[in-house]
Amino acid sequence: MVKCGVLVALVALVHLGQCSQIVPPLYRYDDFFRCQREDPSGVYCFVKVVFRGNQDTFDSPRIVSDFRHNLLDWGICVNNCQRELSVVPAKNHKRLYQFKFPINHTYILPKDLFGTDLDNFQLRYSALINICVNNRLELKYNLSQHAYSEIEYCTTRDDLESSEKTLDLPETMFYITVFTLVSLFVGANVIDWIGHDHAKGHIVVTSFSVRRNWSRLTEQPKSELYRNFGYIDGVRVYASVFLIIMHCAMYSGVFPVANPEYGEQVLKNPLLIDVFALAVVVLQMFFVISGLLLAATVLQDVERKPDINSGYFWTKIRMRLIRIVPVYFFCLLLTTMGANLPGVQLGPVGYKTLVQEQVRCKQKWWTNVLFVNNLPTFGEERCHFHGWYLATDFQLFLATLLLLSAFWKSPKRANALLSFSVIVALIVPTGIVYYMGLESAFPLKLSEAQFSFMYSSWINHVYFPSYSNMNSYLLGAVVGYVYHQTKYNKLNLDDYPLYSRLRKLCLPLLALAYLPTFIFYQYEIPRSSWMTILHNFLYRNVGVAALCVCFIECFRNPPGQIRAHLSSVAMTSLGKLSYNVYVLHIPVIRLILNMFSPSFKLSLVSLLWIPQGVAVISYFVGFVAFLFIEQPVGILLKHRFVDQSKPKLA
């Protein structure tokens, strides 16, 4: 059945190229490079064109996945407009000009992101572009209805040339960081290969040595915990590749293409809607894994040395920060560089993929540094958008660690405290959906994809916050607790009928949770109705519960061929790169898309080969980051902040 469904979906994708075009086009970009080449100033503006609508089709309980056809994203060469209007009688200019009218939806990024320069461009060119756009709509598309045009961002040839000469503080820090890392890397490896034995043992040399870091990448730990859960590294690899595929698909709705109607038709396919909706479960899988490993590790340490003190938990926090900070903070610096990276030539698509992210990060970088960029308070214009996961994961790590410390101090209350926490975590997301009247599942709206989902209420209040993902982390901790009880206290789950029923119900519950998702795209089911609330509860929790059952069954039963493959040297080595791949794959996608033309057409072939290329490049970049940043900087930080301050026994 599944194979037949996938085949039907692929056949449908093949025929999507025949769908009718959107007129006027959502994306119409003048030749960017020709504009820069032929005009001394080369002023090129990215403009939002809005038509007055009689009825908002998006004001519906149904999830409307289409673009807003009354919101156009055009790239305008000012020189072209001046030339076109030179033959238009002056008396027609007033007729063609459209004043701003009330607009009840987000249509443009805030102008304060781009500084005062944007005011100058708007003052000089707003009226010209407004008239020019309406003239084109009349001549090329036979439209009598005029549109309001507003400049979102402009660039000139002088801007492009000056950006290559002047450096601001983040860019200066980026070059200093790169120079320092490269110098240490080269020097350490020269010493490692030809230096004296005494120098070879220096902490800097051992940290940056390629030979030693390759051994760290390929070696397999021999602990009992790793023998039971080593296959998780392989799970991370496949989950990371799936996320790359989903993010590539998402960016097909972000950057300008010649056939945006293709994306609309893709989201008319019920099976593909259900597949895309599963991306939420993959992120939940990472939370489950983190909670599982944290609980299993802490409980094992407490079992072996019950007289540890609170310093143990502070060491856990330091180790967590050392694990995630080096690569993440370097990626933030990389993002602030944007189109100013050496060798990067900004193209017309680069405004959407590089410049917007760059200007956001230069203002909102501090929310990432403080790990609060996942909270609704900082929801709009986020920097390094997918960094929300790291903030959520760190907050959940702290909350779960606090809960485990409570177990350590009051072991008799552990079961009651854990049960209460899980119940609250299960209820919170569904309660938010009910009181805010939100969608039951991740709303795949191309209208919101154009703004990278920054203004989606569901994303900001249900998907990102730590309190909405506590169910995943806590249920993972429950698995770690069950593992510990099974190993040390001889817990036998076969004695618990509830677990046996849950194991048998997993498959039908999964079908009930995810297969009906497409219904909410095709029918007007009221928000906060019992169907919406029930589906949301299943959608947010059943996948997590099924994953937990799967992990429990894995340590209760001997490994088979699948787990042997997932725990092989190749998969565990790639699994160690998964964190770097997650952090860096979005900048990789942005840099790749910058080289695309807005005349690029989506097709089944492109949707297949682009994610493959991005995955290969992302793992290569992740490997380089492993050698240059993650391992060497992590080892140095551990030497400085952990090795010399190990928690003492009470």
Side-chain angles (χ1 to χ4, degrees):
M1 288 289 291
V2 175
K3 291 182 178 179
C4 291
V6 173
L7 181 60
V8 170
L10 291 177
V11 170
L13 281 173
V14 171
H15 293 285
L16 288 181
Q18 303 173 1
C19 54
S20 59
Q21 291 186 337
I22 300 172
V23 180
L26 294 182
Y27 304 109
R28 187 188 188 281
Y29 279 54
D30 292 346
D31 191 315
F32 181 81
F33 299 108
R34 184 177 178 182
C35 184
Q36 301 291 334
R37 187 172 57 249
E38 294 183 352
D39 181 34
S41 62
V43 180
Y44 193 97
C45 295
F46 298 89
V47 178
K48 294 295 185 179
V49 181
V50 190
F51 287 95
R52 192 192 302 269
N54 295 326
Q55 183 178 1
D56 188 0
T57 57
F58 292 82
D59 186 16
S60 167
R62 181 173 67 88
I63 301 176
V64 182
S65 59
D66 294 344
F67 290 101
R68 287 186 181 273
H69 290 193
N70 67 328
L71 176 60
L72 314 182
D73 194 336
W74 283 17
I76 305 290
C77 178
V78 169
N79 187 48
N80 290 353
C81 276
Q82 290 171 336
R83 186 169 55 250
E84 292 171 18
L85 294 182
S86 65
V87 298
V88 177
K91 63 180 181 180
N92 284 345
H93 287 197
K94 186 175 181 179
R95 180 183 64 82
L96 290 170
Y97 184 81
Q98 173 64 57
F99 290 95
K100 186 175 182 180
F101 46 79
I103 303 172
N104 62 356
H105 58 82
T106 302
Y107 68 98
I108 196 167
L109 293 177
K111 67 177 183 178
D112 58 0
L113 284 177
F114 305 102
T116 57
D117 290 341
L118 182 58
D119 292 331
N120 297 328
F121 285 116
Q122 289 179 332
L123 184 64
R124 296 178 62 183
Y125 302 117
S126 283
L128 172 73
I129 289 176
N130 189 308
I131 296 168
C132 177
V133 167
N134 286 321
N135 185 55
R136 290 180 178 182
L137 290 172
E138 283 190 2
L139 293 179
K140 296 181 181 296
Y141 308 107
N142 296 318
L143 289 180
S144 58
Q145 182 185 9
H146 291 163
Y148 168 72
S149 300
E150 186 170 335
I151 297 173
E152 187 173 59
Y153 175 74
C154 288
T155 185
T156 68
R157 189 160 65 182
D158 293 337
D159 292 336
L160 297 176
E161 292 174 354
S162 63
S163 66
E164 298 174 358
K165 299 176 183 178
T166 60
L167 298 177
D168 57 16
L169 180 60
E171 292 169 357
T172 303
M173 292 177 60
F174 173 81
Y175 282 114
I176 291 174
T177 302
V178 171
F179 177 78
T180 303
L181 290 173
V182 171
S183 300
L184 291 173
F185 180 84
V186 173
N189 281 282
V190 169
I191 294 173
D192 189 49
W193 287 102
I194 64 174
H196 299 291
D197 292 339
H198 178 70
K200 289 182 179 180
H202 193 276
I203 183 63
V204 175
V205 175
T206 57
S207 300
F208 282 88
S209 168
V210 171
R211 179 168 51 87
R212 297 170 195 249
N213 284 332
W214 175 259
S215 298
R216 294 177 182 122
L217 179 65
T218 55
E219 70 180 357
Q220 289 184 298
K222 296 180 174 56
S223 66
E224 184 178 1
L225 189 64
Y226 186 84
R227 286 198 301 271
N228 287 322
F229 295 107
Y231 66 90
I232 283 178
D233 278 329
V235 173
R236 286 191 178 113
V237 174
Y238 286 107
S240 297
V241 172
F242 181 78
L243 280 180
I244 289 174
I245 294 172
M246 292 296 102
H247 284 156
C248 286
M250 183 193 81
Y251 270 92
S252 67
V254 174
F255 81 100
V257 294
N259 58 336
E261 58 276 356
Y262 186 89
E264 291 187 340
Q265 292 301 314
V266 166
L267 292 180
K268 295 294 189 292
N269 186 293
L271 179 60
L272 291 176
I273 289 174
D274 291 344
V275 170
F276 288 137
L278 286 173
V280 174
V281 183
V282 175
L283 262 301
Q284 289 180 313
M285 178 190 297
F286 284 107
F287 290 134
V288 171
I289 290 173
S290 296
L292 186 165
L293 296 179
L294 175 62
T297 302
V298 171
L299 293 174
Q300 177 179 270
D301 291 344
V302 172
E303 183 72 27
R304 291 175 178 176
K305 295 182 179 180
D307 53 350
I308 62 173
N309 61 18
S310 58
Y312 168 84
F313 297 98
W314 288 111
T315 300
K316 280 286 184 184
I317 295 173
R318 285 198 295 270
M319 290 289 290
R320 189 68 171 181
L321 288 171
I322 289 171
R323 171 76 176 90
I324 62 179
V325 161
V327 174
Y328 184 39
F329 283 14
F330 179 82
C331 191
L332 290 177
L333 284 176
L334 183 71
T335 305
T336 59
M337 289 292 293
N340 298 333
L341 279 170
V344 175
Q345 182 181 18
L346 181 67
V349 177
Y351 163 66
K352 300 277 286 187
T353 59
L354 294 177
V355 174
Q356 287 186 3
E357 182 78 350
Q358 181 183 19
V359 297
R360 288 199 301 266
C361 279
K362 287 190 174 183
Q363 290 193 19
K364 297 294 185 72
W365 58 269
W366 60 273
T367 62
N368 298 68
V369 171
L370 297 178
F371 294 101
V372 295
N373 55 303
N374 64 318
L375 300 176
T377 307
F378 311 103
E380 296 181 352
E381 295 88 46
R382 281 188 174 92
C383 162
H384 205 55
F385 197 68
H386 69 297
W388 73 269
Y389 168 80
L390 302 179
T392 297
D393 184 77
F394 185 64
Q395 293 166 14
L396 292 175
F397 172 85
L398 294 178
T400 306
L401 195 63
L402 180 64
L403 190 63
L404 291 170
S405 67
F407 293 173
W408 165 60
K409 289 197 170 188
S410 304
K412 293 183 179 180
R413 300 180 181 177
N415 288 336
L417 185 59
L418 185 59
S419 300
F420 174 77
S421 301
V422 168
I423 291 172
V424 172
L426 293 175
I427 293 174
V428 166
T430 303
I432 293 173
V433 168
Y434 175 76
Y435 285 108
M436 295 191 67
L438 301 178
E439 299 87 351
S440 68
F442 181 20
L444 297 164
K445 299 179 180 179
L446 292 171
S447 58
E448 293 180 343
Q450 283 188 305
F451 294 95
S452 299
F453 296 102
M454 287 187 299
Y455 306 109
S456 168
S457 296
W458 198 93
I459 296 291
N460 288 323
H461 292 278
V462 180
Y463 190 40
F464 284 176
S466 53
Y467 47 79
S468 295
N469 288 282
M470 196 67 186
N471 60 330
S472 305
Y473 217 95
L474 273 184
L475 288 177
V478 169
V479 176
Y481 180 75
V482 170
Y483 167 77
H484 179 267
Q485 292 295 99
T486 302
K487 179 182 175 182
Y488 289 99
N489 298 326
K490 307 303 180 184
L491 173 70
N492 185 5
L493 287 176
D494 292 332
D495 296 334
Y496 293 84
L498 180 62
Y499 176 75
S500 299
R501 293 193 189 97
L502 179 61
R503 186 175 56 186
K504 293 176 182 178
L505 288 173
C506 272
L507 194 57
L509 284 176
L510 284 171
L512 192 60
Y514 301 110
L515 290 182
T517 303
F518 73 93
I519 295 175
F520 294 86
Y521 288 75
Q522 297 185 353
Y523 301 98
E524 295 191 353
I525 300 173
R527 308 280 172 83
S528 300
S529 66
W530 69 267
M531 285 186 63
T532 301
I533 300 307
L534 176 60
H535 181 252
N536 176 260
F537 183 82
L538 296 174
Y539 179 80
R540 294 293 293 170
N541 297 305
V542 169
V544 175
L547 285 170
C548 291
V549 170
C550 184
F551 287 135
I552 290 173
E553 290 302 303
C554 283
F555 68 70
R556 293 183 71 212
N557 298 287
Q561 292 183 351
I562 295 178
R563 269 192 283 166
H565 163 67
L566 293 175
S567 58
S568 63
V569 175
M571 295 304 291
T572 54
S573 298
L574 289 174
K576 294 175 185 177
L577 302 178
S578 295
Y579 170 70
N580 292 348
V581 170
Y582 178 80
V583 172
L584 294 168
H585 79 282
I586 294 295
V588 167
I589 292 175
R590 292 180 182 278
L591 288 168
I592 290 174
L593 291 180
N594 175 61
M595 298 183 289
F596 280 58
S597 165
S599 61
F600 176 80
K601 284 192 173 184
L602 291 174
S603 65
L604 174 61
V605 175
S606 64
L607 290 177
L608 291 177
W609 69 261
I610 291 177
Q612 293 179 32
V614 170
V616 171
I617 296 173
S618 296
Y619 268 93
F620 174 76
V621 173
F623 173 68
V624 173
F626 181 88
L627 296 180
F628 272 83
I629 306 173
E630 181 188 353
Q631 279 299 300
V633 177
I635 292 171
L636 289 175
L637 291 174
K638 288 177 186 176
H639 177 75
R640 174 65 180 85
F641 295 105
V642 178
D643 291 347
Q644 297 178 3
S645 58
K646 291 181 179 178
K648 297 179 181 180
L649 298 180

